[in-house]
Amino acid sequence: MTDSEFREVFYSHKDVLYRYAYRMTGSRTGSEDLVQECFLALWRKPERYDRTRGPVRAFLFGILRNLVLKSFRDGRSHEELDPDLFTCAPLDLGGMERADAVAKAMEMLPPLQREAVILAEYEEMALEEIARATGAELAAVKSRLHRGRENLRRMLAPLLEPRGALYGPTE
Amino acid sequence: MDPQNDVRLRELLKEWKTPETPASLEQRVLAGRESWWHFLLRGYVRVPVPVAGAAILLIVGGFWRSAWLGEKVATCVAAASHPAAQVVIPFAPSCPSDSKC
């Protein structure tokens, strides 16, 4: 891979990779470290990328995803990345800004549910794309997305009430 | 599932914005691909404080020890080049009175 090719890849994909890393980790410095490691992995071993298997973005995303999930595992079992019976309790939103409440709720989700929500809601990927990107079965992606959304509705319930519902219609 | 609830959830989720990709990332990635000789000349490494402290102690200890050994060597060399004054004692075996020496 030439220097100019690498630069083009970097400028084309750095933003989407950083957004994913930030939404998964909630940390600016952590995200920067992970994205740097991802690009340098491509630079050091460009032969690992096979053009016939898909676009370079998917390749970079796979590397970044592995780095992110590895940082979460840290001795935990794989099942704890997406526990079947995990149910989030409503958050105490007292005084919290709406955006901060969403960030907090996303942080509370199990990693694989969080990932499914991020890719579907923020990166607007189709379910099949998410399945391909994450190496999961389509049914598993649907399940994670459904449970993730359910947990978010539960945690953010007060913010999801229709405007005026708490106080009734005004006459 | 209430479809309206889904729409409201989607709208609420969109309120969470991510920060801009930091400019430092460009420096870290693009500059991080230096050749090895360039790295030797201009690169830097991050060293944990305990490691740096241990390295400093080793270096200081090494200097101190070499200085101490240097003094000892200098002392030995000085002694060898300037031997103490010698007193010559004629060899005169003592013979018993009844023997022939």
Side-chain angles (χ1 to χ4, degrees):
Chain A
M1 176 173 282
T2 66
D3 183 72
S4 61
E5 285 173 343
F6 181 81
R7 284 176 177 270
E8 186 182 340
V9 166
F10 174 75
Y11 288 118
S12 299
H13 305 299
K14 64 181 175 72
D15 292 332
V16 67
L17 293 175
Y18 182 78
R19 282 200 305 267
Y20 168 81
Y22 180 80
R23 287 202 161 103
M24 286 296 290
T25 63
S27 162
R28 294 183 191 222
T29 51
S31 304
E32 198 173 340
D33 290 344
L34 291 169
V35 174
Q36 177 195 5
E37 209 172 321
C38 174
F39 277 110
L40 290 181
L42 172 64
W43 174 255
R44 289 184 190 120
K45 293 191 177 178
E47 66 277 5
R48 287 179 59 194
Y49 168 54
D50 182 358
R51 293 170 199 270
T52 62
R53 293 183 64 182
V56 69
R57 175 177 291 195
F59 174 76
L60 289 170
F61 179 79
I63 296 176
L64 181 59
R65 181 175 187 267
N66 286 337
L67 291 171
V68 168
L69 293 181
K70 184 181 172 189
S71 71
F72 286 146
R73 280 197 190 98
D74 194 20
R76 297 185 294 181
S77 68
H78 178 78
E79 286 72 25
E80 293 187 9
L81 293 178
D82 184 21
D84 287 336
L85 301 178
F86 185 88
T87 304
C88 297
L91 289 179
D92 179 11
L93 302 173
M96 213 184 279
E97 295 286 334
R98 291 166 65 89
D100 293 337
V102 172
K104 180 69 179 170
M106 289 292 290
E107 187 185 345
M108 298 297 291
L109 287 179
L112 294 182
Q113 289 181 22
R114 188 184 324 158
E115 177 183 56
V117 171
I118 287 170
L119 295 178
E121 299 291 347
Y122 293 100
E123 301 304 327
E124 297 177 344
M125 291 170 72
L127 293 178
E128 293 77 12
E129 283 184 277
I130 297 174
R132 217 166 22 245
T134 59
E137 297 289 329
L138 186 60
V141 171
K142 285 182 180 175
S143 171
R144 289 171 192 166
L145 190 55
H146 174 74
R147 283 184 281 136
R149 284 176 173 150
E150 283 299 310
N151 281 322
L152 287 170
R153 283 194 201 94
R154 197 172 295 115
M155 286 189 281
L156 299 172
L159 299 181
L160 290 170
E161 295 293 329
R163 296 184 190 282
L166 293 177
Y167 300 102
T170 56
E171 298 274 20
Chain B
M1 181 181 63
D2 175 11
Q4 281 300 316
N5 203 351
D6 218 38
V7 171
R8 283 196 288 269
L9 175 64
R10 188 161 289 134
E11 288 172 356
L12 178 59
L13 291 179
K14 292 284 190 225
E15 295 189 32
W16 181 35
K17 308 290 183 193
T18 54
E20 292 289 323
T21 307
S24 53
L25 180 63
E26 178 177 339
Q27 171 69 18
R28 290 173 65 172
V29 171
L30 298 183
R33 303 163 305 133
E34 296 167 338
S35 57
W36 63 270
W37 60 267
H38 198 239
F39 174 74
L40 283 177
L41 289 176
R42 296 192 187 181
Y44 61 92
V45 294
R46 290 171 58 179
V47 181
V49 170
V51 172
I56 290 171
L57 284 175
L58 280 173
I59 291 170
V60 168
F63 274 126
W64 179 83
R65 182 174 168 79
S66 63
W68 179 73
L69 283 174
E71 279 182 17
K72 286 207 75 172
V73 167
T75 303
C76 291
V77 167
S81 60
H82 300 288
Q86 296 176 4
V87 176
V88 179
I89 302 174
F91 176 68
S94 59
C95 300
S97 57
D98 58 349
S99 68
K100 298 179 183 175
C101 295

